[in-house]
Amino acid sequence: MTLTIDSNSSDNTDFLTKQENTDSTNSLLAISKCIPTHLSKEVAGLGSTHDVTSGAIFENEPEEWFEEVKRQAAYSADLGDSIRFYNIHDQDMLFEILKIAAEHYPEETCQYIQNYNIKDQNRRFEVAKFIAAKTDRAINECIQNFSITDQNMLFEIGKINAAQSCWSINFGISEYIQNYGITDQNMLFEIAKIAAAKSGKGISLYIQNYGITDQNMLFEIAKIAAAHDGAGVSEYIQNYGITDLNRLFEIGKIAAAHDGAGVSEHIQNYGITDQNMLFEIGKIAAASDGEGTSAFIKNYGITDQNMLFEIGKISAAQDGERTSRQIKRYGFSKDQQLQILQICLAQIVSKALETNNFSTLADFAKKQKIFCKEKLFEVLVQTYAMKIPLHFKTEEEKQKIEEALKQSFEQLKNFAIQFGASPKVLASFEITIFTKHTSLLQRQKDLLWLCAWMMHYNDTLKQSPLGDEEMIPLLNSILKTIDPNLRNLATKAVITDYNDPEKMGSLKNLMAADERLHFIVLFSTTLGIETEITKKICDDLYPSRKNAKLMAPMNELLGVLYKNSSLSFEEKELLLGLIFNPPIKGERERLPDYKARLTQYRKDQQTCVTAVHSLLYFGQEEILKNVTAIVKEWQAFMGKTFYIREDLLDKFFPTFGQSQRYPNGIIIYATSLQILTEEEKNQLMPLLGQFASGVLDGTFPGIRYSFANNPHLETLFSDNEKLLQKWQTSLPIKIDNLTSYTIEDTDHWEDLELMGTEVDNSCQNIHQDPAINKCLLSSLLDGKIRLMVAREKSSGKIIGRVILRILLDENENPVLFIERLYTRNDVNEELIREHIFEGCKQKAQSMGVALTASVEDYRDLNAKIYPGALESLGGPAPYEYVDALIGIQEGGVYTIPKSYLIWDPSA
């Protein structure tokens, strides 16, 4: 087709565009969409009669367009569809363009790979491998488009792809393995094993696609799948066609260890009828998931009551609270039920003492009836139910609570004496609780702790520490501490030691030490440290015993060492020898010189304690085994893991490790991120380090609201400093008649860190799947995000919160946007929502900007729709989770198409 273009026509500049309106089938339309903008201008400037054809546009100088096409490959997903129009034939050029397209748009590249006309199979192989490592589904669906016939190449691509993580909605290579055309059984076996380790359910669902018939191979694949997804392999075990019952039994045991509930639900799929085999699988499942096994216990078809009783006991010991809900499914007699409930109680009590959280124990006591414990349960429930505010409105209200706590103690004391507790022990407790502790909240915790002790020892209090008057000093030291973690460790250590006569003898001999050293004595004894070494440690610490800041990490370190099971006794002893090795004054040494050495020793000792403590939390026992290089290795490890500057390391553990709300939260979160890909870790860990360093050196607020790497904040506030000041400053929220909580506008680092952890059902919980909670970093670092929270007065913790974002509307006006509300399960969600919305409204009014809310999450609102969409232009983190869009938004760039208008500044 030839066109004649009149240079005098004003229509020349948009000639190609007008073709769409006049002739939708015109072949130039497709070309016009892929021609750079400046080409239209060049065409418009041609002479009066120039022939322009679809084959001649790039014919003259294809090299001239090479750089332009490479740029387009990085930002145009459809380049593969139009690459042929550029008339580039050079294979090196095409390969360069293809690699760029594959990096930025792997899925589209798979679809259009043939359009690049790459003749070299090795080059197509390289691109296919790259895409296989980047995305799983696209390469699986389109592998045939690469026209690769070499079986070894296909095998390599398949292995790479099989190693990719698979979501539950996408079972990876197993669904599409036949597309590869691989015929070698050994190759298929290798790919299947890799896939099984990534998606046990996927491989089990599609195992027949591999065409593997060898029973040994199928058995190996099933075992790997079972170790990674017990429920998935159990649901589809029949697809393997394994006929040997012993092999099915082995697979069932492996699956049960991974997912007791999933195996119990699908146990009948194994076709196992042997009662002993079913009993073995049931016991393993119960040890993995007591509640799930109990819920599906009837699926086993076990008729022997003794076998069922054993499974029930194991389930109760694994999860007492949840197993107790399912107890009736076993068909036990009343006597058997009572025995199981006793085991449930023991597990719940142990957990309560370990965590200092008595909510589950109180709930159990409320629902269950156990003979001889009704009165104790009643006291526990009423004590736990007391609502104690931080501040009392009247003195009379305070006195009423004080009296109720004293009544609870009297009831506990009478019950304890009845079952053999020493009146002197209880009298010492009374002095500590009601004289030493002035906080009524702490007194409540003390009474709950005492309840748990009494439940742990049942009716044998005479043979317990509560019946031993020699234990009074140590028990009072435990009761006096208000550090919940330290109290938990010490309580567990006493319970452990009291069953060992030799350790108890040593412990009592050392009890004469200053009470501030009692925890050092206790944990050293529990560790099995010799008495003389323990005395040496106490002598070393004696001058510092009154320094709480120094003693707290010492106590906790000894407690963590005692709890650790990875290090041998000898290795623990070496560590203590490293930490507690004070200098000895030389005969002719000047006293100032000795004191200088002693001061340096104390500093080095604190550093060493911090190093050992944090390495233990990160599970870096191997580093701790080389005692001569611990501090150096620790600095390297922490610097690498958190990107922390060396001069801030000594502040790291006191700040993050001793949080009253959630000790070691950042360590837990950082540890969870370690299972992500190297690429993601390399993106995220420096940002987490930036957050941690900012908190430690006081620059965190400046980092959050910096325009660097935050195009959204720069666009919003670069010309409006006053608005930025109003946004980043916490507004005092005024709401009358709030009793148990406050409403706060906050960007405090710990609120941001725990915004998904202190509430329920949030995917940003630091314990949740890092594939999702990696988005928490955007909340930590992106200044367009703040929180409006309901904060419990008694604990300081968040019981309800929304993310409040400042976005841009279509006219580039700032708009506040309320995300989904998350609350703790036991609160009045409707009331908290009302108060948090009021807080958001006050914030919007203070700034003079519109307030909107998520249509997705507040469908019950009777409000107008805000005119136009809201936008975020990008932030400092690679991933941001937006509830209103139900998913992860890469780079913080997204559009919320619809929102409710809650408050209009122009109204």
Side-chain angles (χ1 to χ4, degrees), residues 129-142:
K129 284 196 297 181
F130 176 82
I131 294 175
K134 200 171 180 70
T135 177
D136 56 356
R137 189 163 195 140
I139 194 73
N140 288 330
E141 290 180 338
C142 301

Side-chain angles (χ1 to χ4, degrees), residues 485-525:
N485 189 44
L486 191 57
R487 179 183 280 193
N488 301 339
L489 288 168
T491 300
K492 191 173 181 181
V494 169
I495 291 171
T496 301
D497 286 356
Y498 207 75
N499 296 324
D500 187 325
E502 186 178 343
K503 285 185 177 180
M504 280 309 302
S506 298
L507 186 59
K508 289 179 179 180
N509 286 335
L510 291 164
M511 205 69 72
D514 188 287
E515 65 174 10
R516 298 177 184 87
L517 299 172
H518 278 168
F519 290 128
I520 300 297
V521 169
L522 171 61
F523 294 135
S524 296
T525 303

